[in-house]
């Protein structure tokens, strides 16, 4: 199957590279002294990170009251950011695992950075459930561990507990998957590097990899197994995140459509983020030949697909509310569209449903700059989707006497900014110290294509 | 008996036995090595040493510092550490003098409760009474006397005063004592005795909330200056002309309990008194009226006149008051009322809160024609709860301004802040040779005084009260004075050369004046003991020289001034802050006003139409101007208020409220609690009018101008209707949160509750064998007075959060009272709904807590475990009733004196944990333990939650539904019972009883929701 | 390892694939092949048995799942039963999500660990590659010179015929 496609398609990697060229291209990208662009980006994100760290310290020291929450709206920015980041993470796994299972060769250029993105996104996500607690220093109580209080374990019926397990599992598995994928490349760099700390480090982490084919064979098996595990995992994680809301009684949360809706949304936002990062990386790291316009285009197609799924979900929600005949439910959705938070709702709709429709046009799909802007807009829209779901459902629920409003404090905004700081700082460091593209896999693809061509002659 | 420590006593026997008991106590230890004075032998020594060692080791175990383990030096008889005890006493919150039980713990009073035996207040207590315990622990209370602004010793002060008084006596200068109504007969006679010594001396009484016109009117109509005792419980038809008798008028607790008795639809025979309220603003009483008639202030007297004419015609009275100016009312309204009143002759009641005696005379006339005197109004045994005389006050003010007063003693009053023309008065007060203030705090007036002789808090001293003739109450101390303050009665005794203590003074007064009036045969001792224990005694009322109704007194009213085009300013007291003397009390400031739900401010209420016409929003600051006096207040739009009225609450803008500058958590975006003037609200007293011998509470010449400034109000309820906004309304009418029914519906078979079918999805793993706690709340009885809110706050150590937190919707009250409007904004119907944790059987909050910090007890309680909570707030989000409260910050507890009110049975919550109503689990456990000790079953009604105990309307019933005979179980079976949000199957343990509407209107459907 | 070995070094995928099968046909013993990436079809060419790692994955996953489910039931229904929102002691549906997560965790981590063990990969292990460049662009075929039947010159010729850019003979000591 893949072969047939490969025949009919332009090469995935441009400029007929030899294997050595590939190695040197990619390694030199990381050995080259960092350019001005990189430094600007890095210092900027480092500043954001510093801001975030400061406000979080202040918040933990002073009290969660420094967030704009109140007796009716117990969650807002914090959990919105949490769901947003988790969603971002999912695209990484999708590209590395699911596309691997589908033998999509084009993934090889992007999967390494996509997986890195997953890790960093999950790190950012993980911060929020912790700091949104009234007493973060007691956070470890949501894991069952032997203790002298009975022992008092924990409530396995609580979606938040499910979350804790899902997120930590997801992080560990993604980390393993990423590392296993790195080993051969680490070995390559080790063998190129001269003596010194650098070599010793890579030697240490490449676990003495020597390209023995017996190992290669097992390696392939393990990689496939991990991909097979990660695929249901990524679905389960966001399903569980959606259960945080779906299992609640609050109208606007209490909806069976949430799991698929959330998973689609997650991959949607993740794809957008991958696009953003890829486009930045290929220009900053000069990898145009590896991350080609064709890659961008393929991603865009996936974005349209997910956008449509999300649109369907929005429609279904309204229909179900109308169809349920439940006045509380009906009110919540009217309130979303026309209530005090209508601006958030319509931002969400236009960014997630209307704007992505432009990607139907090839001329737009292939215009890197435009795609970059669109990907940013989609991220904004997806952030607002979570905000709308959480806040508009809480701020006006059953008893009108409880109705309240919500406005974020500077502390909250700064925390969100800080999370972006954390993400980009990690990502930029990653670009510098590790191969952004899976050399071993790319080599496989290139050699394979060359073989195809020779056969054709 | 040494005086070095406070000696508490359980029964009077002990009190009298005195030292004998101490000796006994000493003997108790006769054979122990701990005996004082016996030089120990070796064994004793070792024993003692071992004991001490063990003791030391043990005290080392506890968290509490050793010196706090037992606060009393030597353990008094009858007081066990950790066990509560109660002293019967009298509430000092206002002159209504309700009966109290002061709950003490380890030597300090921690809570006030209504005395259930008390014949006047009948166990109820209002918000102010509940909060007044904070006055005792007010760290800014004066700790010792002051002379010329500097603190001095009592000896110096007394000597100087005595010297000055001699001078005054020689110079025959005038001596005046200005007090509010003195509820205490003992103090009254003491003051009389004090004044006897002077040639020209008078005791002038005035009340901030004056009832003077009523007394004056009775002098005219009945020849005696009396305030009748209103017996609402006997009335079947009630007409109130601007008298807020459920909220602030004379004796709200007494009247509320009477009122709810008169409207007890489940009683046998069923009662449902028909109540018509004439008023210009929305009062608490107005919210309960079956018919609320909204009139401009100047029209209300006219309406009364027209009613009087109609009733007079029916009665065929020779005298017909001339009906003056016409009233914008359809005739049938007054006709219907007249008919109903007439049909209910002797079982009806017309009350009138209007200023000016003429109106009151008319009111008396109507009551007289209806034969209500002696039935629903008692003037043979009248009320002494208000004795103020505005004529004398006017005279005194003139005297003062004329500089004629030689010596003036102020007790319980703050004329500079409470009276119009305060500044002028202040100047002339400063000129008085001897001005003595007994004020316990530095307010607007006391700093002017040459001597400030702070009086004790009522809980610190002996005293008495006679709220209504024939009911005399003793107020006994619950704690020894915390500072050097001295009871007023002692001070006056001192100044008349009598060094006796308050206890002796009160006791001897009772021996001379009260004892002779009692019927029983027993000796004084026995009588005294009985009275102290019970907290009150029933005695023969003082004979009243009441003449039969004098028809001649009825004159046509001075033509009711025709309405000017301008807005009328109505000055009113709020149930939460009826009197500036409470302005120091943060609980009362943070208590949402029962109607507007606003906290920490007073404001200018405008009718929606008026606000619309003036293009004003909630929170726009307006400037009120009357003849030079101007104040600036934020606007609050009040549905149901008359379009020509701007209403402003009195008792705000007091200097004592400057103390709240630091209230509330400190953080980046925090906003201060006090207003721009550094105080809470603005003082509207300058707008009052002392005119022909009565205080006028409304002006018709106010100029209202927008300032362009904004001051958003801290309102706890943002949305006030059960119908969602029009543009978001999916249809389906109002939400069935508050339900109501009608008398007809109740009559026809609605009597029993049809049990709904139970659909169970899960195996029944949690049967509630044994107790199952539940609560019912009668929405028909609830007046929204909010006493329960404060009672809960005191009982459960609920912190004060400050204005900013309230604005951010973070108030901490465990029980709140939701207020819903329905009908057109011009003329709304109001429903009050107390809302607290519903203790759902299928509690959504429990399922979602990851750390098991909230779980269900085997007795049906939804328990919150503070020290397990990590503060995810998931429970709060998932609570359909939003009754959970979160500690967003470490709410300050840095006032160590105020902390003495903390209930040791209830954990003080720290930052970052969730909290909520616990059904007063500490009380449940207490009662269970008690029953176990006595080896008997719990009795129904033995456990009373704080909110239930204080409720004057008896709207709340708590108990064990598994006991079919319990009151709560029976009320659960009432046809009026429903549960909030039953449809989402949370199975609440709280049942509500529907409001009963006397009339059927198109909005009311049987059992249907209110809009 | 004893005896001498012959190492053929190749530059592209096809050559190594074809030479491997040829060499096997001739009946020489292939010690190992070193490659910069996983060459598809090479395992068949050498005739390697399929790995048993999937079994490890399956069993550990199963163990993880069952033990977690057991623990959840024990903790909520037997060790300290608490009435949570009136839900039954054994709320099986609610126990499923965590069970699943733990299963995935166990399966994934254990598989990787097993892989490291069987492939003798561990931090700090000295990498011993026959020739530099197998992690870059070289393919190395390592043959064992077993018995007399092994005629180095023939083999050398055979390898060169298949495009070996270089053929080295070594003693086994220097081999992994």
């Amino acid at each position: 199957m893949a072969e047939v496609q490969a025949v009919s398609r332009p090469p995935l990697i441009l400029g007929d590279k030899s294997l050595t060229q590939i190695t040197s291209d990619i390694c030199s990208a990381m050995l080259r002294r960092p350019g001005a662009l990189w430094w600007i980006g890095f210092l900027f994100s480092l500043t954001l990170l510093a801001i975030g760290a400061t406000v979080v310290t202040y918040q933990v020291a002073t009290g969660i009251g420094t967030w704009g929450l109140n007796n009716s709206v117990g969650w807002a920015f914090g959990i919105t950011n949490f769901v947003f980041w988790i969603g971002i993470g999912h695209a990484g796994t999708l590209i590395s695992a699911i596309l691997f299972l589908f033998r999509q060769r084009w993934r090889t250029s992007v999967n390494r950075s996509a997986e890195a993105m997953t890790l960093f996104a999950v790190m950012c996500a993980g911060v929020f459930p912790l700091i949104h607690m009234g007493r973060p220093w007691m956070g470890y109580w949501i894991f069952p561990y032997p203790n002298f209080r009975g022992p008092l374990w924990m409530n396995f019926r609580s979606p938040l507990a499910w979350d804790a397990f899902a997120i930590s599992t997801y992080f560990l598995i993604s980390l393993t998957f990423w590392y296993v994928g790195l080993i051969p490349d680490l070995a390559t760099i080790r063998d190129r590097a001269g003596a010194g700390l650098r070599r010793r480090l890579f030697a240490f982490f490449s676990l003495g990899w020597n390209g023995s084919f017996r190992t290669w064979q097992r390696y392939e098996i393990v990689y496939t197994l991990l991909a097979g595990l990660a695929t249901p995992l990524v679905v389960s994680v966001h399903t569980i995140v959606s259960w945080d809301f779906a299992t609640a009684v609050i109208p606007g949360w209490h909806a069976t459509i949430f799991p698929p809706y959330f998973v689609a949304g997650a991959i949607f936002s993740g794809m957008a983020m991958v696009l953003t990062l890829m486009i930045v990386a290929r220009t900053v790291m000069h990898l145009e030949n590896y991350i080609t316009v064709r890659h961008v285009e393929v991603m865009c197609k996936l974005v349209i697909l997910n956008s449509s799924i999300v649109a369907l979900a929005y429609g279904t929600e309204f229909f179900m509310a109308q169809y349920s005949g439940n006045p509380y439910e009906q009110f919540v959705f009217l309130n979303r569209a026309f209530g005090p938070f209508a601006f958030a709702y319509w931002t969400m709709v236009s960014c997630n449903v209307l704007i992505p429709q432009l990607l139907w046009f090839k001329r737009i799909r292939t215009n890197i700059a435009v795609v970059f802007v669109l990907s940013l807009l989609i991220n904004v829209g997806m952030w607002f989707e979570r905000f709308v779901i959480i806040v508009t459902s809480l701020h006006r629920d059953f008893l009108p006497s409880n109705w309240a409003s919500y406005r974020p404090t500077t502390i909250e905004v700064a925390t969100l900014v800080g999370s972006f700081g954390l993400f980009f700082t990690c990502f930029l460091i990653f670009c510098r110290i590790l191969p952004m593209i899976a050399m071993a896999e790319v080599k496989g693809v290139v050699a394979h294509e060359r073989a195809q061509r020779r056969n054709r002659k | 008996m040494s005086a070095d420590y406070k000696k508490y006593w359980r029964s009077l026997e002990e009190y009298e036995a005195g030292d004998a008991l101490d000796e006994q106590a000493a003997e108790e230890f006769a054979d122990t090595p701990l005996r004082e004075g016996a030089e120990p032998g070796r064994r004793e020594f070792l024993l003692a040493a071992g004991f001490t060692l063990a003791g030391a080791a043990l005290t080392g175990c506890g968290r509490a510092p050793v010196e706090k383990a037992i606060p009393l030096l030597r353990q008094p008889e009858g007081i066990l550490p950790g066990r509560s005890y109660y002293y019967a006493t009298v509430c000092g919150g206002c002159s209504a003098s309700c009966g109290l039980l002061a709950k003490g713990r380890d030597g300090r009073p921690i809570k006030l409760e209504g005395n259930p035996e008390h014949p006047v207040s009948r166990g109820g207590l209002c918000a102010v009474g509940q909060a007044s315990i904070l006055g005792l622990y007010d760290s800014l209370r004066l700790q010792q006397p002051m002379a010329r602004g500097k603190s001095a010793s009592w000896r110096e002060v007394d000597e100087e005063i005595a010297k000055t008084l001699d001078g005054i006596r020689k110079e025959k200068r005038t001596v005046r004592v200005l007090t509010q109504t003195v509820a205490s007969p003992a103090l009254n006679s003491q003051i009389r005795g004090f004044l006897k010594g002077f040639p020209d001396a008078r005791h002038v009484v005035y009340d901030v909330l004056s009832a003077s016109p009523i007394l004056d009117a009775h002098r005219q109509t009945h020849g005696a200056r009396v305030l009748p005792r209103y017996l609402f419980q006997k009335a079947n038809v009630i007409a109130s002309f601007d008298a807020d008798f459920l909220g602030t008028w004379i004796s709200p607790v007494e009247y509320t309990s009477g009122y709810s008795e008169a409207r007890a639809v489940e009683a046998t025979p069923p009662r449902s008194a028909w109540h018509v309220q004439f008023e210009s603003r929305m009062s608490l009483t107005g919210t309960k009226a079956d018919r609320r008639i909204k009139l401009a202030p100047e029209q209300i007297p006219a309406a009364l006149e027209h009613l009087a004419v109609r009733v007079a015609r029916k009665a065929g009275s020779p005298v017909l008051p001339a009906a003056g100016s016409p009233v914008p009312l359809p005739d049938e309204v007054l006709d219907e009322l007249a008919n109903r009143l007439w049909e209910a002759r002797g079982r009806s009641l017309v009350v009138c809160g209007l200023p000016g005696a003429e109106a009151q005379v008319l009111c008396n006339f109507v009551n007289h024609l209806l034969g209500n005197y002696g039935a629903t109004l008692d003037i043979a045994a009248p009320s002494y709860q208000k004795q103020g005389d505005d004529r004398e006050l006017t005279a005194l003010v003139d005297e003062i301004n004329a500089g004629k007063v030689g010596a003036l003693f102020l007790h319980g009053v703050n004329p500079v802040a409470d009276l119009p023309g305060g500044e002028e008065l202040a100047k002339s007060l400063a000129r008085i040779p001897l001005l003595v203030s007994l004020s316990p705090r530095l307010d607007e007036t006391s700093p002017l005084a040459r001597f400030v002789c702070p009086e004790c808090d009522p809980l610190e001293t002996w005293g008495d009260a006679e709220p209504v003739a024939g009911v005399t109450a003793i107020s006994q101390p619950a704690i020894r004075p915390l500072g050097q303050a001295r009871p007023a009665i002692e001070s006056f005794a001192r100044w008349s050369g009598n060094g006796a203590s308050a206890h002796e003074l009160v006791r001897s007064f009772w021996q001379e004046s009260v004892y002779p009036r009692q019927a029983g045969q027993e000796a004084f001792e026995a009588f005294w003991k009985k009275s102290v224990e019970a907290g009150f005694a029933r005695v023969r009322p003082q004979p009243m020289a009441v003449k039969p109704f004098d028809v001649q007194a009825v004159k046509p009213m001075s033509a009711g001034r025709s309405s000017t085009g301008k807005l009328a300013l109505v000055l009113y007291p709020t149930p939460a802050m009826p009197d500036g003397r409470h302005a120091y009390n943060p609980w009362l400031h943070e208590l949402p006003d029962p109607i507007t739900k606003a906290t920490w401010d007073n404001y200018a209420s405008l009718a929606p139409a008026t606000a619309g016409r003036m293009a004003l929003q909630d929170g726009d600051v307006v400037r009120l101007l009357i003849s030079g006096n101007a104040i600036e207040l934020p606007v609050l739009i009040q549905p149901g208020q008359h379009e020509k009225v701007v209403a402003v609450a009195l008792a705000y803008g007091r200097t004592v409220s400057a103390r709240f500058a630091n209230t509330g958590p400190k953080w980046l975006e925090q906003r201060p609690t006090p207003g721009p003037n550094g105080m809470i609200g603005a003082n509207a007293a300058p707008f009052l009018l002392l005119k022909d011998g009565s205080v006028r509470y409304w002006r018709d010449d106010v100029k209202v101008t927008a300032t362009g400034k904004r001051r958003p109000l801290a309102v706890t309820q943002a949305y006030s209707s059960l119908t969602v906004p029009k543009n978001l309304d999916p249809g389906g009418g109002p939400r069935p949160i508050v339900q109501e029914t009608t008398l007809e519906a109740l009559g026809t078979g609605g009597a029993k509750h049809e049990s709904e079918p139970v659909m169970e999805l899960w195996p029944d793993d949690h049967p509630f064998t044994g107790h199952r706690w539940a609560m019912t709340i009668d929405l028909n009885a609830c007046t929204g007075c909010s006493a329960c809110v404060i009672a809960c706050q005191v009982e459960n150590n609920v912190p004060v959060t400050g204005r900013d937190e309230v604005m951010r919707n973070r108030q901490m009250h465990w029980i709140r009272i939701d207020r819903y409007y329905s009908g057109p904004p011009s003329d709304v119907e109001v429903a009050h709904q107390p809302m607290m944790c519903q203790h759902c059987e299928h509690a959504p909050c429990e399922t979602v807590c990851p750390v098991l910090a909230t779980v269900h007890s085997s007795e049906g309680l939804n328990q919150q475990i503070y020290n397990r909570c990590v503060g995810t707030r998931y429970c709060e989000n998932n609570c359909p009733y939003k009754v959970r409260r979160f500690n967003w910050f470490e709410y300050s507890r840095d006032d160590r004196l105020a902390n003495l009110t903390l209930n040791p049975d209830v954990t003080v919550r720290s930052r970052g944990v969730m909290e909520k109503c616990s059904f007063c689990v500490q009380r449940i456990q207490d009662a269970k333990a008690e029953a176990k000790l006595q080896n008997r079953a719990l009795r129904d009604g033995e456990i009373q939650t704080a909110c239930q105990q204080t409720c004057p309307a008896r709207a709340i019933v708590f108990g064990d539904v598994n006991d079919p005979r319990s009151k709560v179980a029976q009320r659960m079976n009432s046809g009026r019972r429903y549960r909030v949000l039953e449809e989402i199957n949370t199975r609440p343990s709280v049942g509500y009883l529907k409001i009963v509407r006397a009339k059927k209107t198109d909005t009311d459907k049987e059992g249907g929701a209110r809009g | 390892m004893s005896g001498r070995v012959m190492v053929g070094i190749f530059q592209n995928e096809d050559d190594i694939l074809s030479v491997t099968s040829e060499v096997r046909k001739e009946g020489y013993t292939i010690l190992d092949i070193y490659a910069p990436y996983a060459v598809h079809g090479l395992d068949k060419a050498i005739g390697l048995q399929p790995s048993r790692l999937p079994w490890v994955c399956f069993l550990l996953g199963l163990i993880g799942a069952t033990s977690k489910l057991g623990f959840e039931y024990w903790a909520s229904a037997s060790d300290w039963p608490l009435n949570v929102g009136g839900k039954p002691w054994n709320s099986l549906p609610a126990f499923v999500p965590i069970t699943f997560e733990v299963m995935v965790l166990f399966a994934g981590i254990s598989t990787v660990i097993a892989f490291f063990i069987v492939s003798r990969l561990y931090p700090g292990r000295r990498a011993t590659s026959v020739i530099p460049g197998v992690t870059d662009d070289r393919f190395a075929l390592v043959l064992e010179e077993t018995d007399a039947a092994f005629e180095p010159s023939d083999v050398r010729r055979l390898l060169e015929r298949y495009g070996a850019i270089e053929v080295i003979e070594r003693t086994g000591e220097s081999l992994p």
Side-chain angles (χ1 to χ4, degrees), chain C residues 112-159:
Chain C
V112 172
I113 292 171
F115 163 59
F116 287 164
I117 294 170
V118 293
S119 321
R120 299 202 304 287
L121 295 172
Y122 52 85
R125 175 189 174 202
R126 263 196 70 262
T128 51
S129 30
V130 251
I131 52 147
V134 283
T135 57
D136 178 3
D137 62 344
R138 292 279 186 273
F139 302 82
L141 172 67
V142 184
L143 297 173
E144 187 177 9
E145 302 189 0
T146 39
D147 43 26
F150 188 95
E151 178 44 61
S153 51
D154 303 356
V155 184
R156 182 185 292 271
R157 227 175 288 108
L158 177 138
L159 296 179

Side-chain angles (χ1 to χ4, degrees), chain A residues 213-359:
Chain A
F213 190 77
R214 281 188 165 67
T215 321
W216 268 121
Q217 184 212 18
R218 300 200 191 93
Y219 174 90
E220 286 281 278
I221 299 284
V222 171
Y223 201 79
T224 320
L225 283 174
L226 284 178
L229 286 170
T231 308
L233 178 63
V234 69
V235 174
S236 82
V237 168
H238 224 65
T239 303
I240 287 174
V241 169
S242 80
W243 280 339
D244 283 346
F245 311 105
T247 60
V249 297
I250 302 302
W253 282 13
H254 186 68
T256 46
I257 190 188
F258 267 22
Y261 169 16
F262 268 52
V263 173
I267 291 164
F268 181 46
S269 61
M271 284 296 172
M273 185 57 97
V274 175
L275 272 172
T276 321
L277 293 179
M278 273 180 8
I279 293 173
V280 173
R282 79 192 284 273
T283 31
V284 177
M285 312 289 294
H286 311 294
L287 296 169
E288 288 82 354
N289 287 336
Y290 296 86
I291 304 167
T292 65
V293 175
R294 178 164 160 216
H295 288 116
V296 175
E297 212 181 332
V298 179
M299 299 284 291
C300 289
K301 288 176 183 164
L302 277 173
V303 168
I304 301 175
L305 171 69
N306 285 295
S307 161
S308 333
I309 299 177
V310 171
L312 179 66
Y314 295 165
T316 316
E317 272 193 317
F318 263 83
F319 171 74
M320 288 314 293
Q322 185 48 42
Y323 190 65
S324 71
N326 172 344
Y328 299 110
E329 195 78 16
Q330 294 168 337
F331 167 76
V332 164
F333 286 97
L334 287 171
N335 185 48
R336 270 183 197 176
F338 309 109
F341 289 100
F343 73 93
Y345 180 79
W346 293 111
T347 320
M348 159 186 116
V349 171
S350 36
C351 293
N352 297 350
V353 179
L354 306 179
I355 293 175
Q357 301 311 318
L358 293 171
L359 295 171

Side-chain angles (χ1 to χ4, degrees), chain A residues 421-454:
Chain A
L422 174 62
F423 180 80
F424 285 110
T425 313
C426 295
F427 194 82
L428 287 165
I429 294 175
F430 155 75
C431 299
R432 295 304 314 165
I433 63 171
L434 289 172
M436 268 194 68
I437 291 174
M439 292 182 271
E441 292 198 35
V442 171
K443 287 174 189 170
V445 173
V446 171
H448 182 84
E449 284 183 340
R450 194 172 295 125
Q452 303 287 330
R453 257 178 273 116
R454 212 177 295 107

Side-chain angles (χ1 to χ4, degrees), chain B residues 102-403:
Chain B
K103 178 184 185 183
R105 187 65 170 275
D106 304 336
R108 60 186 166 100
I110 55 170
K111 173 102 169 46
L112 304 180
E113 313 222 311
N115 180 352
E117 309 303 321
H118 197 280
V120 176
S121 59
R122 292 149 133 212
L125 191 60
C126 69
V128 175
Q130 283 289 351
S132 62
I133 191 169
L134 209 53
L136 170 63
Y137 297 118
D138 172 11
S139 46
L140 297 187
R141 206 151 54 104
L142 289 175
Q143 296 300 314
Q144 67 203 90
M146 295 173 68
R148 299 176 196 77
K150 279 179 228 54
S151 41
S153 79
W154 280 110
R155 227 182 63 268
E156 301 161 17
V157 172
D158 287 340
E159 281 167 2
E160 281 208 55
I161 292 180
K163 221 184 283 109
T164 334
L165 282 177
D166 291 340
I168 285 169
R169 203 178 280 107
K170 289 195 195 65
E171 298 161 24
K172 301 207 169 346
R173 298 199 56 177
T174 57
V175 176
R176 297 283 180 264
V177 175
L178 178 61
T179 69
Q180 63 168 340
T181 295
V182 177
S184 158
L187 178 53
N188 258 327
S189 76
Q190 193 53 246
I191 294 174
R192 245 179 277 117
F194 167 69
L195 293 177
K196 232 184 249 101
F198 301 96
D200 174 11
R202 209 181 315 123
H203 176 194
V204 179
V205 179
Y206 87 91
D207 294 296
V208 176
L209 308 176
S210 170
S212 176
I214 305 177
L215 290 106
D216 297 341
H218 279 86
R219 183 190 282 132
Q220 296 176 32
T221 57
H222 291 80
R225 198 165 184 286
V226 293
L227 175 67
R229 184 182 180 191
Y230 298 95
L231 302 165
F232 286 87
Q233 57 269 40
K234 295 193 178 163
N236 284 351
V237 177
I238 300 166
S240 160
F241 289 83
D242 213 8
D244 181 12
F245 58 85
L246 295 178
T248 52
W249 192 64
I250 303 177
S251 181
V253 171
E254 175 188 356
Y255 300 159
T256 305
S257 87
Y259 183 77
S260 65
E261 189 179 327
R263 287 160 70 96
V265 287
E266 259 108 13
T268 43
R271 307 268 321 264
S272 56
W274 164 271
H275 167 205
V276 180
Q277 180 83 0
F278 293 82
E279 61 185 12
S280 55
R281 56 173 204 97
M282 178 64 86
S283 77
L284 193 65
T285 312
T287 64
K288 295 302 289 179
D290 296 301
R291 181 144 216 176
R292 183 173 167 276
I293 293 158
K294 182 183 62 172
L295 291 174
E298 75 275 357
Q299 294 166 337
I300 300 175
L304 175 56
E305 230 168 8
H306 286 262
L307 180 69
V309 172
R310 283 172 169 71
V311 175
R313 283 218 193 79
K314 289 185 179 296
S317 142
V319 191
L320 285 188
S325 54
V327 197
L329 272 180
D331 282 354
E332 54 270 26
V333 173
L334 285 169
D335 291 340
E336 188 199 8
L337 177 56
N339 292 336
R340 283 176 176 270
L341 284 168
W342 186 248
E343 281 154 21
R345 282 191 303 285
R347 286 171 290 104
S348 61
L349 177 57
V350 180
V351 292
C352 170
L354 297 168
E358 311 106 320
Q360 296 293 349
V361 168
L362 269 182
C363 175
N364 296 359
F365 182 52
V366 175
N367 278 320
H368 161 70
L369 293 173
L370 293 170
N372 293 340
Y373 278 100
T376 54
L377 297 87
D378 191 346
I379 50 169
S383 155
Y384 298 139
Q385 290 156 317
K386 297 272 184 186
Q387 295 156 25
D389 187 331
D390 296 344
R391 291 180 192 288
E392 292 193 1
L393 173 66
T394 328
L396 178 62
V397 171
D398 297 343
E399 276 184 334
I400 295 171
N401 289 336

